[in-house]
Amino acid sequence: MAMLYCISFIFLILLIRLDFCRLSAAVDYMTEMKSDCHYLNGTQRVQYLQRYFYNQEEFVYFDSDKGYFIAKTEFGKPDADYWNNNKDFIEQRRSAVETFCKHNYGVFHSVTADRRFSLKSL
């Protein structure tokens, strides 16, 4: 009787794994969002870029210097128009210079700018 339970349990596990593999099959597209901060003169001049990609192609981005979304392809034009008409969303993106870039400046700066070495030691 215990052998029957063991075989039933193994069959159930295999059935669940096969079903899970079918549900988690790879898709044919990929979406990605990247946020970049560019610092000039410390935090005196900061540019924030938020870029959106579809299948490794950038289709729309937000530039804090301009203050609105810019479509890079025809695919990004509807998104850019929709987001630019949403005043609350635009204000949130504009404030990312303060809340994201300047807030994290110490973290980024300590990792990148404070590392100095001479080429002679290499």
Side-chain angles (χ1 to χ4, degrees):
M1 187 71 166
M3 186 65 148
L4 182 60
Y5 284 127
C6 186
I7 292 172
S8 299
F9 181 72
I10 291 172
F11 178 72
L12 181 64
I13 295 298
L14 288 174
L15 186 63
I16 290 171
R17 289 194 66 190
L18 288 175
D19 193 41
F20 178 74
C21 291
R22 188 168 25 114
L23 292 175
S24 65
V27 292
D28 294 306
Y29 62 90
M30 182 182 77
T31 58
E32 183 178 3
M33 188 267 299
K34 292 183 180 181
S35 297
D36 301 324
C37 296
H38 300 275
Y39 302 98
L40 303 169
N41 276 345
T43 58
Q44 292 177 2
R45 170 119 163 65
V46 180
Q47 181 185 21
Y48 172 72
L49 295 173
Q50 187 175 44
R51 305 178 310 157
Y52 293 85
F53 296 86
Y54 181 81
N55 277 348
Q56 298 179 349
E57 181 182 359
E58 184 177 3
F59 65 94
V60 66
Y61 69 98
F62 176 82
D63 186 351
S64 66
D65 287 347
K66 296 190 167 106
Y68 55 87
F69 283 90
I70 301 162
K72 290 195 83 170
T73 64
E74 286 297 318
F75 180 70
K77 188 150 178 51
D79 288 329
D81 292 340
Y82 177 76
W83 289 332
N84 287 333
N85 290 330
N86 187 343
K87 299 301 178 196
D88 291 334
F89 190 65
I90 288 292
E91 189 59 36
Q92 183 183 21
R93 293 297 99 214
R94 287 180 184 150
S95 68
V97 171
E98 298 292 329
T99 60
F100 180 71
C101 294
K102 289 184 180 178
H103 176 74
N104 292 318
Y105 176 74
V107 175
F108 298 142
H109 182 69
S110 66
V111 172
T112 58
D114 291 339
R115 295 186 181 215
R116 295 191 178 119
F117 59 92
S118 66
L119 294 176
K120 292 179 183 178
S121 64
L122 294 176

